[in-house]
């Protein structure tokens, strides 16, 4: 018999309400006792008695044995989750930025107090990727994980590519649909995808990295000329986080726009859908697909974690605890496409193995190889100059067949 969960829920936004909707349709031996909210003035769909604005009313209630944290304030979320874990309450959270930023501390708290923190809903919404990376791939050699980890930016890209909708209108729609973060720069700038990548990589490789050490370049500078170029080549542009084992000692991670060809699984991942491509040594390529944002899809992953807590499930962090000597590095060379205006930027990036160059009055681009560290050093400059950079393995092969082969090796 599973144990009864008495839940204190923090946050009643898109995901909180989605979770509530799902829970009430099931008989799961659990009860939401109280919901903490920030704004008591807001009109709510439930009776007033269930809400509180006092977090202590939940955290100090001995009857509540499980905390579900779904707020969008990173520091407050960390405080709530830390207090819960330190006082014997298990926690489910979907706060990706908080988890990516404080993962070391959160693991330590779980070890110290014997409590469990689960966060499937924090990475790629409804896709069950964390428990898979944690459990299933234990003895598998994972060459890489990559994918589409952010629904809002993918929604904007799909709207632009498939429907010719302008960037601002598409982003507004993603906000209205409840997919985007409070500050959507996190979505379109690749920050949100980076937090998810960091969490996934901790379970895939046992490597725990701070967000400030991983580069993220987003889609804010994407122009019609870039989309047109992709179309002419039969490619799409997607925002793709990558974690790749370079050798048995080093893992690289980055988030960049990427040219994707029709043979890649990610080519057909559109709108708010997410996809995760896992390249494993013996299983070869595997692909996970599902909705990455929205109340019900994310709520379903949160509910799955809640259900797992009924049986005392906890991540073991086996890979992080094992002696495998894997380290994070930015020392990797990448084939990129750069659309630019200022020639100084080219010099700063030090392109090598130039594959293609084009310039007219209105459109200049170069495709070639650069070092990731160079890209990191010039990231702000690229952003300020409204230049657009994208990972371009699919553009540099002698033939498409060769490009595909190289891509298969890289990913
Ligand atoms: N803003 C996120 C996205 C929500 O668009 O993917 C899900 O984490």
């Amino acid at each position: 018999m599973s144990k009864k969960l008495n839940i204190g829920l923090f946050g009643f936004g898109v995901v909180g309400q989605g979770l509530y909707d799902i829970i009430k349709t099931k008989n799961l031996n659990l009860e939401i006792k109280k919901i903490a909210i920030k704004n008591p003035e807001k009109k709510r769909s439930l009776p007033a008695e269930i809400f509180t604005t006092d977090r202590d009313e939940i955290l100090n209630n001995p009857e509540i044995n499980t905390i579900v944290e779904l707020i969008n304030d990173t520091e407050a979320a960390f405080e709530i989750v830390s207090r819960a874990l330190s006082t014997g309450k298990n926690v489910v959270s979907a706060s990706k930025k908080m988890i990516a930023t404080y993962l070391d501390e959160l693991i330590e708290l779980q070890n110290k107090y014997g409590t469990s923190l689960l966060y499937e809903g924090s990475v790629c919404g409804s896709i069950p990727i964390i428990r898979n990376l944690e459990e299933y791939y234990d003895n598998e050699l994972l060459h890489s994980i990559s994918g589409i980890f952010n629904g809002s930016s993918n929604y904007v890209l799909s709207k632009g590519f498939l429907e010719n909708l302008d960037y601002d209108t598409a982003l507004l729609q993603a906000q209205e649909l409840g997919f985007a973060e409070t500050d959507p720069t996190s979505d379109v700038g690749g920050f949100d995808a980076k937090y998810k990548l960091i969490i996934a990589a901790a379970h895939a490789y046992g490597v725990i990295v701070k967000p400030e050490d991983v580069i993220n370049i987003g889609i804010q500078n994407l122009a019609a000329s870039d989309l047109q170029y992709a179309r002419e080549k039969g490619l799409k542009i997607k925002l793709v986080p990558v974690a790749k084992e370079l050798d048995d000692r080093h893992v690289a991670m980055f988030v960049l726009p990427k040219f994707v060809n029709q043979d890649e699984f990610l080519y057909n991942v559109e709108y708010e859908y997410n996809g995760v491509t896992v390249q494993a040594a013996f299983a070869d390529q595997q692909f996970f697909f599902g909705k990455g944002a929205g109340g019900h899809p994310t709520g379903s992953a949160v509910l799955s974690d809640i259900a797992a807590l009924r049986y005392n499930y906890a991540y073991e962090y086996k890979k992080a605890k094992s002696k495998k000597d894997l380290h994070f590095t930015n020392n990797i060379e990448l084939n990129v496409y750069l659309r630019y205006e200022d020639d100084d930027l080219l010099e700063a990036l030090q392109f090598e193995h130039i594959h293609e160059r084009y310039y007219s009055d209105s459109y200049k681009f170069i495709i070639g190889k650069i070092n990731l560290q160079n890209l990191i050093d010039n990231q702000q400059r690229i952003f300020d100059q409204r230049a657009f950079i994208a990972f371009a393995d699919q553009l540099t092969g002698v033939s498409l067949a060769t490009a595909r082969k190289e891509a298969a090796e890289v990913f």
Side-chain angles (χ1 to χ4, degrees):
M1 177 71 180
S2 66
K3 79 173 178 197
K4 163 107 193 273
L5 298 188
N6 291 320
I7 295 173
L9 173 61
F10 282 84
F12 202 59
V14 174
V15 181
Q17 289 183 50
L19 174 69
Y20 196 90
D21 288 347
I22 302 169
I23 282 182
K24 71 178 186 218
T25 65
K26 305 270 173 217
N27 184 6
L28 289 167
N29 197 20
L30 54 87
E31 191 183 341
I32 295 183
K33 291 275 182 195
K34 267 283 171 225
I35 304 174
I37 47 164
K38 205 160 70 177
N39 182 359
E41 309 303 328
K42 211 161 151 183
K43 204 168 155 17
R44 309 279 175 182
S45 52
L46 299 176
E49 310 81 76
I50 197 162
F51 294 107
T52 177
T53 52
D54 177 10
R55 69 172 69 156
D56 290 343
E57 207 182 311
I58 291 178
L59 291 170
N60 294 341
N61 181 345
E63 203 196 353
I64 290 176
N65 55 15
T66 307
I67 298 298
V68 177
E69 181 280 301
L70 303 172
I71 65 174
N72 58 19
D73 175 332
T74 299
E75 295 311 315
F78 181 57
E79 204 190 309
I80 290 162
V81 171
S82 310
R83 264 185 68 189
L85 291 173
S86 327
T87 52
K89 297 187 198 303
N90 293 327
V91 180
V92 175
S93 169
S95 296
K96 46 267 160 121
K97 182 177 181 186
M98 184 277 288
I99 296 161
T101 307
Y102 293 109
L103 193 49
D104 273 326
E105 291 87 337
L106 294 167
I107 295 173
E108 209 177 302
L109 283 169
Q110 291 175 80
N111 288 337
K112 190 166 170 194
Y113 295 100
T115 39
S116 169
L117 166 66
L118 304 181
Y119 38 79
E120 192 67 70
S122 70
V123 180
C124 297
S126 66
I127 303 177
I129 191 65
I130 298 300
R131 260 186 269 170
N132 267 306
L133 292 171
E134 166 84 9
E135 304 287 344
Y136 182 81
Y137 291 98
D138 196 26
N139 297 316
E140 199 24 310
L141 297 170
L142 273 176
H143 288 332
S144 67
I145 29 173
S146 61
I148 291 168
F149 286 17
N150 181 267
S152 303
S153 55
N154 202 50
Y155 184 90
V156 171
L157 290 170
S158 294
K159 283 278 173 184
F161 195 90
L162 301 174
E163 301 177 29
N164 278 318
L165 192 69
D166 67 274
Y167 180 96
D168 290 335
T169 313
L171 185 55
L172 198 64
Q173 285 184 5
Q175 287 176 285
E176 283 165 2
L177 287 162
F179 303 151
E181 300 301 304
T182 313
D183 174 4
T185 310
S186 186
D187 298 292
V188 292
F191 294 92
D192 181 76
K194 173 167 81 172
Y195 304 138
K196 293 165 177 168
L197 177 71
I198 287 173
I199 298 168
H203 291 273
Y205 295 114
V207 173
I208 295 171
V209 188
K210 289 286 176 204
E212 57 271 24
D213 294 332
V214 178
I215 187 174
N216 57 291
I217 291 188
I219 58 166
Q220 298 103 316
N221 292 359
L222 179 72
S225 49
D226 306 313
L227 284 175
Q228 185 55 29
Y229 181 78
R231 267 194 200 100
E232 281 165 17
K233 298 277 178 185
L235 305 170
K236 286 181 185 168
I237 296 172
K238 298 287 187 186
L239 182 59
V240 178
V242 176
K244 175 171 168 48
E245 194 173 41
L246 302 177
D247 53 43
D248 56 8
R249 304 232 11 226
H250 299 102
V251 175
M253 288 179 219
F254 52 89
V255 181
L256 281 179
K258 178 182 187 291
F259 287 92
V260 175
N261 79 25
Q262 292 183 26
D263 295 337
E264 292 177 80
F265 294 119
L266 300 185
Y267 188 89
N268 291 316
V269 178
E270 299 292 3
Y271 302 104
E272 77 270 30
Y273 279 88
N274 281 190
V276 185
T277 305
V278 173
Q279 180 73 47
F282 303 112
D284 206 340
Q285 234 181 51
Q286 292 170 307
F287 184 60
F288 301 80
F289 174 76
K291 282 195 173 165
H296 289 166
T298 311
S300 79
V302 172
L303 182 60
S304 172
D305 277 348
I306 296 172
L309 284 180
R310 291 184 305 161
Y311 299 94
N312 296 316
Y313 179 74
Y315 302 134
E316 286 180 59
Y317 300 98
K318 291 187 282 279
K319 296 168 201 171
K321 286 176 190 162
S322 81
K323 300 228 176 326
K324 201 173 171 199
D325 206 11
L326 264 181
H327 300 279
F328 169 71
T329 179
N330 279 320
N331 189 12
I332 176 175
E333 300 218 303
L334 299 176
N335 290 311
V336 297
Y337 157 102
L338 175 78
R339 182 194 29 82
Y340 64 99
E341 283 181 12
D342 188 345
D343 287 343
D344 289 352
L345 186 58
L346 281 196
E347 270 180 42
L349 285 170
Q350 296 175 27
F351 272 80
E352 288 177 6
H353 304 288
I354 293 165
H355 175 74
E356 193 178 345
R357 257 187 111 150
Y358 173 86
Y359 27 92
S360 68
D361 287 346
S362 57
Y363 181 30
K364 291 201 276 190
F365 75 80
I366 183 166
I367 296 167
K369 203 167 256 210
I370 59 170
N371 189 284
L372 183 59
Q373 190 56 52
N374 252 341
L375 185 54
I376 292 167
D377 297 343
N378 289 284
Q379 189 178 355
Q380 193 58 42
R381 208 161 162 183
I382 293 169
F383 185 76
D384 294 344
Q385 292 186 18
R386 303 221 40 89
F388 178 72
I389 194 151
F391 186 53
D393 253 17
Q394 306 300 29
L395 292 168
T396 53
V398 179
S399 68
L400 200 59
T402 315
R404 273 205 300 275
K405 185 170 172 293
E406 282 176 1
E409 281 163 9
V410 170
F411 288 93

